[in-house]
Amino acid sequence: PGPCDAAGQRAAMGGVGVPLAWLLLALLSPWGAAGGSCPPRCVCASNILSCSQAVLSAVPAPLPRFTAVLDLSHNNVTRLRADWAPGRLAHLHALLLSHNGLSFVSTEAFAHVPHLRHLDLSSNRLRALEENLFSDLAELEVLLLYNNEISSVDRTAFENLARLRKLYLGQNRIARFPLELLRDGSRLPQLALLDLSANRLRSLPVGELQALPAWLRDRLYLHGNPLACDCPLFQLVARGRRRRLSAVMDFQEELRCLLPAAPAPVGILALAGRQPLNCSEAREAVLEGHLGDTVTLSCDTRLRGVRSRHWVTPGGERVLEEGGNGSAALLANGSLQLRALRPEDAGTYACWVAGPLLNETLYVELLVHNFTLHGPHDTLNTAYTTLVGCILSVVLVLIYLYLTPCRCCCCRGAEKPPAPRDDSINSSVLSATPNHAVGVPGEPCRSHSASATGPGQNGRFKVGGTPQPPPQHGPKAQRKVSDPDSVSSVFSDTPIVV
């Protein structure tokens, strides 16, 4: 064939090839007959469906099943019902509904989008987050709820969000800090950012917030709230500045609080040494212990995904391996445990952390008191016991000196006549009282002049007593009349013969 015939054949083939190419493109395109058509007033590109600023009052239907990103922002969709997506959208991972005047979201609105990872409900008119509102979104990672009218948050609104990393609740009307979202890390274990700025918070649980890990406090935004000024709040913010946490460093001017008599809010960081609070400067990571105690030094880094870490003691010793040797041991969570504290353990410890992008060094100052934990109490008890003993000794001495019964001094001049020799045995052996006169305390001394009654046995004067018989002479011993007051009269009914 000639050149003209060849050209004609190429033209014929080209005429057939162009429609075939368009057919192949139509079949390969996701918007072909097999996948559905692009909704009116929307822009479709690959698996992205953008219907922003399309003056829509409802979600367009039907939605292509392969849609991965659906942008419905800046429309008039005021209610999101359960049937907005009649079919399952297994590929949808981003849903944008900001600036719609949205005031109602059904608790079943997300049942057909289980793989959603990014949800934007910001700049709407939501007033409350109902029970289990987002419980169907087990794979959600980012949730934007800022610039709404939210004043009530149900405790179960964020249940089952185990993968949520960022939660934006700023510019709402929240008056109570939702501490349950952060406590123990059980509700939102992956949460790394919580924005509560520009709400109506007047107080914060400072103690529990300070106990949070630094990587979470690094993205805990609290500026723009009408907080009441106090020193614990200042300590929280000042420690954040010392650690150079982003939530403090980026918004120092917006971190303000209200003093009772001040006409305008004041900077929280300006409370140091300022009347009437006169808050003291914050010290970072100061730990106190006593001799013999066991303490744990936390490596509170703001880095996540730490690759390695080690500690350096005040003496320059490196603690690298878990378990360690001696009194220092590196725990699995990166903390350093010191057992049986000694005075030489005091000083500044350094924790070196290596992260995926940068490194960080933390310093912990340890103060060791030179006594055991119960030492002061034991010393106080010993001093108290000694004082009481001294007081009792003085009291006993005074009792001995001034309250002991004294002998009658006026009776010393009157001496008793010597007793007969034969009466000495009875008076010394059988008598219960000494054989000499004893004055009775409190009574006047009695005269020993002769009277109708003479002294009886034991040197006592008896009134109406038994008279003594006249003395008998002879080799035989005389019989003595028993004295009713003597010991012999008590223990025997017969007279004693000497």
Side-chain angles (χ1 to χ4, degrees):
C4 294
D5 296 333
Q9 290 179 1
R10 287 195 298 268
M13 292 179 59
V16 176
V18 172
L20 181 60
W22 282 107
L23 178 61
L24 291 175
L25 290 174
L27 293 176
L28 294 176
S29 173
W31 302 104
S37 59
C38 186
R41 291 182 288 182
C42 296
V43 177
C44 303
S46 182
N47 57 357
I48 299 176
L49 178 58
S50 177
C51 303
S52 179
Q53 299 182 358
V55 197
L56 298 176
S57 59
V59 179
L63 291 173
R65 64 178 182 273
F66 51 80
T67 304
V69 178
L70 177 58
D71 184 3
L72 296 172
S73 61
H74 297 274
N75 282 288
N76 298 319
V77 183
T78 59
R79 301 177 68 86
L80 191 65
R81 302 180 181 274
D83 57 352
W84 71 271
R88 183 180 179 88
L89 300 177
H91 299 278
L92 188 66
H93 63 78
L95 177 59
L96 312 178
L97 283 166
S98 63
H99 298 277
N100 268 281
L102 194 65
S103 60
F104 171 79
V105 177
S106 172
T107 55
E108 300 177 357
F110 308 108
H112 297 293
V113 288
H115 302 296
L116 202 64
R117 298 196 302 269
H118 184 103
L119 177 59
D120 185 0
L121 298 174
S122 63
S123 300
N124 283 293
R125 296 180 181 176
L126 298 176
R127 296 184 177 180
L129 301 181
E130 302 294 339
E131 180 181 1
N132 296 316
L133 181 59
F134 306 106
S135 59
D136 292 324
L137 303 176
E139 300 181 12
L140 191 65
E141 298 178 2
V142 180
L143 178 57
L144 291 84
L145 292 165
Y146 63 86
N147 195 22
N148 275 279
E149 301 173 4
I150 300 172
S151 59
S152 174
V153 179
D154 190 88
R155 292 180 178 270
T156 64
F158 302 103
E159 288 286 350
N160 200 31
L161 299 182
R163 298 188 183 181
L164 188 66
R165 297 185 298 107
K166 299 179 180 180
L167 176 58
Y168 296 86
L169 288 168
Q171 300 183 43
N172 278 286
R173 302 177 181 177
I174 300 174
R176 184 190 68 85
F177 186 89
L179 187 61
E180 63 275 4
L181 301 180
L182 306 176
R183 184 183 289 119
D184 302 329
S186 57
R187 184 70 60 87
L188 302 174
Q190 299 296 326
L191 189 65
L193 185 151
L194 176 60
D195 180 15
L196 290 169
S197 61
N199 274 279
R200 298 182 179 179
L201 300 176
R202 296 187 177 274
S203 62
L204 297 176
V206 175
E208 299 192 54
L209 293 183
Q210 186 61 42
L212 295 175
W215 57 263
L216 181 52
R217 285 184 283 122
D218 189 42
R219 295 291 189 272
L220 178 59
Y221 298 98
L222 299 169
H223 56 276
N225 280 282
L227 298 170
C229 294
D230 56 24
C231 288
L233 177 63
F234 165 76
Q235 298 284 346
L236 177 68
V237 178
R239 290 192 178 99
R241 181 179 61 177
R242 184 180 294 270
R243 292 293 307 276
R244 303 191 64 82
L245 301 182
S246 300
V248 176
M249 299 302 296
D250 298 341
F251 298 95
Q252 292 190 50
E253 298 298 328
E254 290 82 359
L255 283 168
R256 308 178 72 83
C257 61
L258 298 173
L259 285 170
V266 298
I268 296 178
L269 293 173
L271 295 177
R274 176 172 178 172
Q275 297 297 333
L277 298 180
N278 195 22
C279 300
S280 60
E281 281 290 346
R283 293 192 299 171
E284 175 64 21
V286 177
L287 188 63
E288 298 184 14
H290 301 82
L291 292 180
D293 285 355
T294 297
V295 297
T296 301
L297 280 61
S298 175
C299 188
D300 190 21
T301 177
R302 55 194 173 98
L303 304 179
R304 299 197 69 182
V306 175
R307 295 180 301 179
S308 64
R309 74 183 82 198
H310 68 271
W311 285 84
V312 178
T313 65
E317 180 183 358
R318 291 163 61 97
V319 183
L320 299 173
E321 300 178 358
E322 182 178 343
N325 296 320
S327 61
L330 182 63
L331 304 181
N333 61 357
S335 301
L336 181 67
Q337 186 180 76
L338 301 176
R339 299 182 291 268
L341 285 181
R342 303 165 298 175
E344 54 267 27
D345 291 331
T348 302
Y349 292 76
C351 179
W352 298 76
V353 181
L357 299 178
L358 52 90
N359 300 334
E360 185 181 17
T361 304
L362 306 177
Y363 297 96
V364 180
E365 182 181 355
L366 176 63
L367 305 178
V368 179
H369 298 290
N370 198 18
F371 52 84
T372 60
L373 182 60
H374 303 289
H377 305 285
D378 297 340
T379 304
L380 179 62
N381 292 337
T382 303
Y384 178 76
T385 304
T386 304
L387 179 62
V388 172
C390 293
I391 295 176
L392 289 178
S393 300
V394 172
V395 171
L396 291 177
V397 170
L398 293 176
I399 291 176
Y400 177 78
L401 292 176
Y402 295 100
L403 298 181
T404 302
C406 62
R407 302 180 184 275
C408 183
C409 57
C410 60
C411 301
R412 294 180 180 178
E415 298 291 342
K416 178 184 176 183
R421 181 182 302 273
D422 55 357
D423 194 33
S424 62
I425 299 178
N426 292 336
S427 62
S428 62
V429 177
L430 300 179
S431 176
T433 58
N435 197 18
H436 54 78
V438 178
V440 179
E443 295 183 5
C445 297
R446 297 181 180 180
S447 174
H448 288 279
S449 58
S451 62
T453 60
Q457 286 184 350
N458 305 326
R460 297 182 180 180
F461 292 89
K462 293 182 279 296
V463 180
T466 305
Q468 294 184 356
Q472 298 180 2
H473 302 280
K476 296 183 179 180
Q478 60 181 357
R479 181 184 299 271
K480 304 281 293 183
V481 180
S482 62
D483 190 347
D485 289 338
S486 66
V487 177
S488 62
S489 66
V490 176
F491 291 98
S492 175
D493 291 336
T494 60
I496 298 177
V497 178
V498 182

